[in-house]
């Protein structure tokens, strides 16, 4: 449960910070991409409509995933959503030899970075849903089970 709440806090905080900053945009991050899908990320950044959608999905996706994990509400779905977000972040800025990014990093990584570690942790939460013990999923599951009878 502690792992779920900590990762949830990370997602929630990232989303709320972006909501509170009216000038936030994914544009610099997408343009800084140097991974396998650089062309895709640059395409998203250079199309105003797709960039607006990307910004919206980022801001509210991070926030909802964070809330879901913290509250233990639809936590399996929140974990899978978190994995997808982190996978895109990893593919955008992979920690490979010779990769240099404008965006600052917290250390020197080779293949494994915090995104990949958090993906692994979320995979654990998909298969061991603690929200059925401590979380709103416990009550949702009881309600759905009772209504099936």
């Amino acid at each position: 449960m502690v792992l779920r709440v900590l990762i949830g806090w990370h997602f929630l905080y990232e989303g709320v910070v972006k909501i509170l900053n009216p000038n936030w945009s994914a544009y610099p991050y997408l343009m800084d991409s140097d991974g396998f899908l650089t062309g895709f990320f640059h395409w998203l950044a250079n199309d105003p409509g797709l960039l607006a959608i990307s910004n919206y999905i980022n801001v509210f996706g991070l926030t909802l995933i964070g809330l879901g994990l913290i509250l233990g509400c639809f936590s399996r779905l929140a974990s899978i959503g978190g994995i997808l977000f982190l996978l895109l972040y990893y593919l955008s800025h992979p920690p490979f030899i010779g990769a240099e990014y404008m965006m600052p990093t917290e250390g020197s990584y080779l293949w494994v970075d915090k995104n990949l570690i958090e993906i692994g942790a979320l995979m654990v939460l998909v298969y061991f849903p603690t929200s059925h013990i401590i979380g709103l999923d416990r009550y949702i599951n009881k309600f759905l089970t009772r209504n099936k009878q």
Side-chain angles (χ1 to χ4, degrees):
M1 187 214 63
V2 172
L3 180 65
R4 189 187 80 225
V5 171
L6 291 174
I7 294 173
W9 174 257
H10 178 222
F11 273 85
L12 178 63
Y13 184 76
E14 288 290 336
V16 170
V17 165
K18 290 167 179 56
I19 288 172
L20 296 176
N21 179 358
N23 297 319
W24 179 84
S25 174
Y27 182 83
Y29 187 83
L30 293 169
M31 290 305 292
D32 193 33
S33 173
D34 192 24
F36 299 115
L37 302 175
T38 297
F40 171 72
F41 292 115
H42 288 182
W43 172 68
L44 282 176
N46 288 315
D47 183 307
L50 292 175
L51 179 60
I53 292 168
S54 176
N55 288 341
Y56 185 83
I57 290 171
N58 245 297
V59 168
F60 293 103
L62 289 169
T63 303
L64 290 174
I65 289 167
L67 284 172
L69 290 171
I70 289 171
L71 298 174
C73 183
F74 304 110
S75 65
R76 182 169 276 153
L77 183 61
S79 295
I80 292 169
I83 289 168
L84 294 174
F85 270 63
L86 291 167
L87 185 60
L88 286 170
Y89 299 151
Y90 182 85
L91 292 173
S92 175
H93 289 74
F96 295 151
I97 296 172
E100 294 183 23
Y101 302 107
M102 287 184 336
M103 304 297 213
T105 59
E106 289 117 16
S108 300
Y109 301 107
L110 178 59
W111 303 312
V112 177
D113 65 0
K114 67 179 181 181
N115 291 323
L116 200 58
I117 293 167
E118 211 164 34
I119 287 170
L122 285 170
M123 288 174 147
V124 169
L125 294 176
V126 168
Y127 293 105
F128 298 101
T130 61
S131 61
H132 290 267
I133 301 167
I134 300 174
L136 294 179
D137 284 341
R138 176 180 179 183
Y139 301 105
I140 292 169
N141 194 29
K142 282 181 183 180
F143 176 77
L144 293 175
T145 304
R146 189 176 333 144
N147 286 340
K148 282 185 182 179
Q149 297 174 357

